[in-house]
Amino acid sequence: MTTEELKSTLLALLTDVAPDVEPSSVALNADFRDQFDFDSMDQLNFAIAIHKAFNIEIPESDYPKLASLAKCMEYVGNRADKD
Amino acid sequence: MPSLGADMEFGTVVEWKIKLGDVVKRGDVVAVVETDKGAIDVECFESGAVEKLVAQPGERVAVGGVLALLSGRESSSPSPLMGEGRGEGGQLYAEQATEPLSPVLPHKGGGGQETIARVKISPAARAHAQKLHVALDALQGTGPGGVITLQDVERASNGASLLREESQREGGKVSAAADEALLSPSLPQKGGGGRASMTDTMRSVIATAMARSKREIPHYYLSLDVDYSATLAWLAKRNAELPIEQRMLPVAPLLRAIVLGLQAFPDFNGYYADSAFHPSQAIHLGVAIAQRGGGLIAPALLDAQGKTLSQLTEQLRDLVNRVRAGRLKNRELSDGTVTLTSLGEGGVDAVFPVIYPPQVAIIGAGTIRERAVVIDGKIEARPIMTLTLAADHRVSNGRSGARLLARIRDFLQTPDTL
């Protein structure tokens, strides 16, 4: 999966969890929480969506590593390689 | 047109889920109605065959107004034929159900699975389309699953040119600046923008309800610090063993503890009307949920009284998902008997909430934060959550309120009892 594919897959998952978020408005480096009031329920739902889409286990302690689009890309990129 | 709360005066029919001759059952979703609180699935309070759809899509109908006529509503084998049972045509009334409705069933009319496709659109986009007079059926959704986004609405309206230029310049990515000004449903209104209508309407709805509350309800307030360490330790241990889908947020034990507390102290669950308190057997626990864009909504976890922790977690997840997608059911907005407002993620220590009339109590939860507390004569750092209660003095007094909070605390500190 290329970086662009990874990014668009993550964006699709994100807007699935938060249909009221405009995909093109998502900044790469800003935390979801600061960008659009992502709350802990959104965060958990997003982690579940990533788990399902990429088939990776995500322990609770790793949730902060999914706080922004860039962090997600790094986390999923690394994890998907190893798993 | 059902009332979805004391503050609602009108609703706009967005879409019918039924057509002439369909047989509908009590509890079926028959229409989608746009309100200040987003699009709501309206459940039918009667059974019968659809004789006439009185209100047309796009029509604004006052609460109590007739939406549609049903015939043969008492018949056990209603005929889809028009005219049969005419004369006893039941109306879809605005009255709140006085007994629990049957669960919402998928619509299975005489026409088999022939349901009308729903226009998938975000609430913000719907409001914007209405403002710009853009017809929804003319829009092509480009969001996930074909959802119509704000951008699609913009594109369809005359204001699309700017975005298209921006979009081309950025190689398909609309610039962040254009987003902020025009698109993002996530940012607060910056004045003069195109999305004033939705936020302003909701603001005035909240204003009406809260002003009424402060005018009519003699509030009293209590606060209690709850040591959350036992709860958090229990939660961490539980979550570590569970697949991610079943993991629980710290709010879940709180929901369950509140339900158990309210069962012991019924003076805080119900509604106040006609100078009297009407306690409720069922606990429809409203949960205040902030909407991106500045809205606030408190839909209820219906019948929370019989639910396990896992069921409450799942129910809350479903509710939040549908708030985000603008897909609530009318009873969730009209039938709440008590409310929880959790400002835990706002970073404040305590919230002093305003009761949502005609309810008689609201419970507030602040941020769970390490604070210095004295335990057995020693100062220790513990995760503390300040629990607050605002309650109606016409119904209860501080003493029973204090016992309710203490009971909730006790449940939280012995999570195995939840």
Side-chain angles (χ1 to χ4, degrees):
Chain A
M1 187 179 271
T2 67
T3 308
E4 273 309 306
E5 283 166 352
L6 177 59
K7 185 177 171 187
S8 66
T9 305
L10 285 168
L11 273 177
L13 296 176
L14 180 71
T15 45
D16 238 18
V17 168
D20 44 353
V21 166
E22 188 65 40
S24 58
S25 76
V26 179
L28 194 62
N29 288 305
D31 280 10
F32 298 138
R33 176 174 299 217
D34 300 333
Q35 277 189 86
F36 28 75
D37 292 340
F38 225 53
D39 63 19
S40 54
M41 179 66 80
D42 294 321
Q43 185 70 61
L44 177 58
N45 285 339
F46 185 46
I48 291 172
I50 290 176
H51 155 74
K52 285 183 179 161
F54 297 98
N55 197 26
I56 52 178
E57 292 303 324
I58 305 172
E60 210 170 17
S61 52
D62 279 359
Y63 293 175
K65 296 177 185 168
L66 303 172
S68 71
L69 187 55
K71 285 179 183 169
C72 285
M73 289 170 67
E74 188 188 342
Y75 183 80
V76 175
N78 288 339
R79 293 293 306 273
D81 285 345
K82 285 175 199 157
D83 287 6
Chain B
M1 176 63 67
S3 169
L4 307 173
D7 44 17
M8 171 172 160
E9 292 178 9
F10 292 94
T12 303
V13 177
V14 174
E15 177 193 356
W16 280 107
K17 309 294 289 180
I18 52 174
K19 55 187 186 311
L20 281 186
D22 278 357
V23 177
V24 296
K25 286 193 302 292
R26 189 178 163 83
D28 284 353
V29 172
V30 293
V32 181
V33 167
E34 179 81 30
T35 73
D36 303 323
K37 298 167 182 175
I40 307 298
D41 284 342
V42 172
E43 294 159 90
C44 192
F45 294 140
E46 307 283 352
S47 299
V50 180
E51 186 167 307
K52 188 180 182 192
L53 301 179
V54 177
Q56 300 308 311
E59 201 173 313
R60 196 163 173 255
V61 181
V63 166
V66 177
L67 290 175
L69 297 176
L70 300 179
S71 62
R73 59 175 158 149
E74 298 303 328
S75 166
S76 56
S77 57
S79 163
L81 290 175
M82 273 183 65
E84 188 153 317
R86 200 184 276 272
E88 50 169 331
Q91 296 177 346
L92 295 173
Y93 272 120
E95 292 153 4
Q96 291 204 354
T98 49
E99 52 186 291
L101 293 172
S102 52
V104 183
L105 300 164
H107 175 58
K108 285 183 193 135
Q113 293 302 314
E114 197 186 339
T115 47
I116 308 155
R118 174 190 300 282
V119 181
K120 288 196 207 161
I121 182 168
S122 74
R126 191 187 290 280
H128 199 47
Q130 203 164 27
K131 188 178 158 65
L132 298 175
H133 305 293
V134 174
L136 297 186
D137 48 12
L139 289 175
Q140 193 72 37
T142 62
V147 171
I148 297 168
T149 63
L150 270 173
Q151 200 173 9
D152 298 325
V153 175
E154 277 295 334
R155 204 176 285 128
S157 78
N158 293 331
S161 54
L162 165 72
L163 283 169
R164 217 173 281 125
E165 283 168 24
E166 285 282 355
S167 178
Q168 282 160 1
R169 206 183 313 146
E170 302 277 330
K173 301 275 175 293
V174 176
S175 78
D179 280 349
E180 277 201 19
L182 287 163
L183 294 176
S184 168
S186 60
L187 294 165
Q189 191 58 41
K190 291 203 174 139
R195 298 185 295 106
S197 58
M198 188 183 178
T199 312
D200 287 357
T201 315
M202 186 172 268
R203 197 72 256 162
S204 86
V205 165
I206 296 169
T208 305
M210 294 299 100
R212 179 186 153 196
S213 175
K214 283 285 187 172
R215 195 167 56 240
E216 295 177 4
I217 303 177
H219 287 63
Y220 68 88
Y221 303 91
L222 303 172
S223 139
L224 182 69
D225 284 351
V226 177
D227 185 337
Y228 229 71
S229 42
T231 323
L232 288 180
W234 178 84
L235 210 56
K237 184 163 177 284
R238 186 185 180 284
N239 282 346
E241 291 164 0
L242 285 176
I244 189 167
E245 296 94 332
Q246 291 171 36
R247 283 180 210 157
M248 223 172 250
L249 295 170
V251 72
L254 178 60
L255 292 169
R256 179 74 181 140
I258 288 172
V259 167
L260 293 171
L262 288 170
Q263 284 178 328
F265 297 96
D267 279 359
F268 301 90
N269 184 59
Y271 61 99
Y272 191 91
D274 305 322
S275 303
F277 173 55
H278 306 269
S280 170
Q281 285 289 322
I283 298 173
H284 304 310
L285 178 52
V287 183
I289 296 171
Q291 291 180 311
R292 290 184 262 276
L296 176 68
I297 197 164
L301 297 166
L302 297 173
D303 296 304
Q305 70 278 3
K307 305 271 166 61
T308 64
L309 261 176
S310 304
Q311 287 170 328
L312 283 173
T313 302
E314 204 36 60
Q315 201 179 358
L316 179 66
R317 184 197 314 287
D318 174 59
L319 195 67
V320 172
N321 286 349
R322 285 186 294 107
V323 166
R324 299 283 183 246
R327 306 292 337 206
L328 292 169
K329 301 192 182 84
N330 50 329
R331 284 189 64 224
E332 290 168 335
L333 286 171
S334 60
D335 288 11
T337 55
V338 64
T339 299
L340 166 69
T341 178
S342 169
L343 274 178
E345 292 173 44
V348 296
D349 289 335
V351 47
F352 305 96
V354 182
I355 298 168
Y356 184 57
Q359 295 172 18
V360 298
I362 180 166
I363 292 161
T367 309
I368 301 171
R369 199 164 60 78
E370 283 214 327
R371 282 183 248 171
V373 291
V374 178
I375 294 165
D376 297 333
K378 287 186 193 129
I379 296 174
E380 284 191 33
R382 291 286 180 105
I384 301 293
M385 184 188 71
T386 301
L387 207 56
T388 50
L389 170 74
D392 187 335
H393 228 325
R394 297 172 299 186
V395 178
S396 63
N397 54 41
R399 189 169 170 77
S400 57
R403 292 175 66 204
L404 170 66
L405 285 185
R407 183 65 64 96
I408 294 171
R409 175 199 60 198
D410 292 347
F411 278 119
L412 283 170
Q413 291 180 341
T414 50
D416 286 334
T417 62
L418 291 172

